[in-house]
Amino acid sequence: MKNEIVTVCRKAHFNATHRLHNPNWSDEKNEKVFGKCNNENYHGHNYNLVVKVTGPIDPETGYVIDLKLLNDLIMEHVVERYDHKNLYLDMEDFRDVNPSAEYISVAIWNILRPLLDDSLLLAVELFETERNFVCYGGPAN
Amino acid sequence: MKNEIVTVCRKAHFNATHRLHNPNWSDEKNEKVFGKCNNENYHGHNYNLVVKVTGPIDPETGYVIDLKLLNDLIMEHVVERYDHKNLYLDMEDFRDVNPSAEYISVAIWNILRPLLDDSLLLAVELFETERNFVCYGGPAN
Amino acid sequence: MKNEIVTVCRKAHFNATHRLHNPNWSDEKNEKVFGKCNNENYHGHNYNLVVKVTGPIDPETGYVIDLKLLNDLIMEHVVERYDHKNLYLDMEDFRDVNPSAEYISVAIWNILRPLLDDSLLLAVELFETERNFVCYGGPAN
Amino acid sequence: MKNEIVTVCRKAHFNATHRLHNPNWSDEKNEKVFGKCNNENYHGHNYNLVVKVTGPIDPETGYVIDLKLLNDLIMEHVVERYDHKNLYLDMEDFRDVNPSAEYISVAIWNILRPLLDDSLLLAVELFETERNFVCYGGPAN
Amino acid sequence: MKNEIVTVCRKAHFNATHRLHNPNWSDEKNEKVFGKCNNENYHGHNYNLVVKVTGPIDPETGYVIDLKLLNDLIMEHVVERYDHKNLYLDMEDFRDVNPSAEYISVAIWNILRPLLDDSLLLAVELFETERNFVCYGGPAN
Amino acid sequence: MKNEIVTVCRKAHFNATHRLHNPNWSDEKNEKVFGKCNNENYHGHNYNLVVKVTGPIDPETGYVIDLKLLNDLIMEHVVERYDHKNLYLDMEDFRDVNPSAEYISVAIWNILRPLLDDSLLLAVELFETERNFVCYGGPAN
């Protein structure tokens, strides 16, 4: 066996609060478009996150990337940043865009991308609930 | 087969925000006891709820209670009440106590108990996360 | 450690079809009470079954009951009997009562009870869907 | 952040009955090929469905597609159509082909495709049981 | 609301290796009784553990027991002890009995019981696999 | 409907023991790189495996591949081979490389590939735990 390309995945989670609201719109339009997600006192989710890293196996270790190291990166740079936070109020990451699951997945990808070796591919999957989830694999070329 | 006592269970879920804070305590004590759960801008959860009703099977239907009816009661009286709400700010249910998983389960039990026939037993199980959950079966005699 | 009472559980599943219908009622009443579950061409479920056996640990093996043996009993007497069957049409078990989750759990308990040693307690949990499930622990004394 | 391509997913479920049978074959061949799935009185499943829609994020809302709208489309056009139905007997969708998981996923894709904007990609994942599932992303070019 | 008795649960997990073998028996009997679980080179499981603590809610906090504290106890005294260990070779806990799921659950209960206030009840649930699990609530009176 | 390309998936599981160790390295380096996974007495996992086969639907059956046949191949060639085994000690498959999740997934792919028709694509997903998993789709061209 040599040089096989494998994807390794690590799951993490964090709890956070958010609210969807477009300040350029009237209250009526916000209420109509975002419904209960526009509640001015916020609502929250247990976010489940899957980080997927693709690359060749290192034959010395059998690893694409040490999952303990990957987990440490996720904990330090993503979970510490978002856990038990109000994503709408507390975070400048979402100053210009809504903290929708879509934009949170993009933000997480943008946080992790520079922390990984350029030879590795990265994708993130974010579950807002068991029934709603999103996937982002980086900007299209 | 006759008069068998069976427990029937129905699962539901709602998303909500909360914060743990005791107004009789100093900020330091609140921070020390509740940690990240004391964040003044709130945090949230996807709550999963299991409602358990115990009683004899009606031989005409094969039901202890029509699960569609039980689901309607849960949706109307619990999910409508708490979904996408800020349990700390919006709800008088938690004016005098913290919206901890423990007290939310007690509140849900107290809401549903009068809606069910006296001959039926009731218990509720509430998952704050996949790893933290509570069960309440009514006041001890 | 000696004589500790432990509950051991084994999960199994089977796929089956059923329909809820009371032949003593009018079509209107059947439709009103059972709704979509009354569909004359049947509908089906992936049933998940948990069998729970309680008793003392045998210090020679560390077992309450050999789970392989328990699994063989479940496969031979329950899964073989109900899997890929039409519970309403094919089974005399439900000639006099509806194949509701409640009565299926009672039927399974009645099948397994005589196959286990009298010193062991038995309970069954039956999931009709992820959201609807029932528990039966034998006739009340 | 702009113009990121994200996949958003929504989960739904329905219960249905089916039977696998090729009317051009002898009973022996049907029995040999389809085994228990050929049972003339049908058997059923709790189908879990994941609908995946890929496209750019709308910066006004943070959405690829409003998941509430996507859910309404799934409920109205797929769940209403198949839930508590006998796919072999009741549905003309499977007049010429077996209601196998493969063909059900193709049928669902064909139902949803014209309801979505042409700029969005669509894929469906269908779980017949926890252990058997299929994915379909549209006809190969 | 006052003095309600609630059960709070915390989930944890650890990976370990074991082997079932009774040194008082012949190789044939060990092979016959324990089958593949008798493999002399061991086999392993991802154990999932649920610790359940029952007691009154403290009205000051809304807690039966601080789940962070309970988690710390589980991590320090159970997970640190068993994670990535060979339960048959490394642990004196199972010198006289097999590291069956039954006896592991008893050992965990015996570890945690003295660490909790006497007023609290304790039960443990241990999943050896998704299909095999056990529950222990302490010695019968 | 004709000639649609669908992916069909089948889930299986096995329990096994492993240890990560590079014999060309010092004990210190092994301990530093592999941490608890280097424990000389091994540790174990419940591996969950998903095998994914992609190809056109056979219009006679509605199948891409008979899932019962696929399951038989997985049981006979993969589960029988690895279940309740010590992958580090018992298996020549991992004589030259570590039994990491990455290399186990490659080994399983290499076992199954020659057993399937050339017209079918193959990918495997292997869960070492709920939080750590890998995917392999064959050697890159």
Side-chain angles (χ1 to χ4, degrees), chain C residues 6 9-10 12 14 16 21 25 31 34 53 58 64-65 69 75 92 94 107 111 113 119 126:
Chain C
V6 173
C9 307
R10 175 72 194 175
F14 55 93
H21 184 78
W25 291 352
E31 165 70 21
F34 297 118
V53 174
D58 175 347
V64 168
I65 181 175
L69 171 66
M75 292 307 284
E92 64 180 81
F94 305 104
I111 290 169
R113 181 62 272 184
S119 65
L126 183 73

Side-chain angles (χ1 to χ4, degrees), chain A residues 32-48:
Chain A
K32 180 155 176 277
V33 173
F34 296 118
K36 289 190 295 186
C37 294
N38 186 237
N39 177 352
E40 68 181 338
N41 284 334
Y42 315 106
H43 66 282
H45 296 292
N46 303 326
Y47 290 93
N48 275 307

Side-chain angles (χ1 to χ4, degrees), chain B residues 28-86:
Chain B
E28 287 75 17
K29 184 160 182 191
N30 271 295
E31 165 70 20
K32 179 156 176 276
V33 172
F34 296 118
K36 288 190 296 186
C37 294
N38 186 236
N39 177 353
E40 68 181 339
N41 285 333
Y42 315 105
H43 65 283
H45 296 290
N46 302 327
Y47 291 93
N48 274 308
L49 170 68
V50 180
V51 175
K52 303 180 170 193
V53 174
T54 302
I57 307 178
D58 175 348
E60 295 278 307
T61 55
Y63 288 168
V64 168
I65 181 176
D66 182 345
L67 278 176
K68 193 180 168 325
L69 171 66
L70 179 60
N71 188 46
D72 289 347
L73 292 175
I74 298 169
M75 293 306 284
E76 182 181 344
H77 296 276
V78 178
V79 173
E80 276 300 305
R81 186 176 186 83
Y82 293 139
D83 192 35
H84 283 68
K85 292 291 171 54
N86 185 318

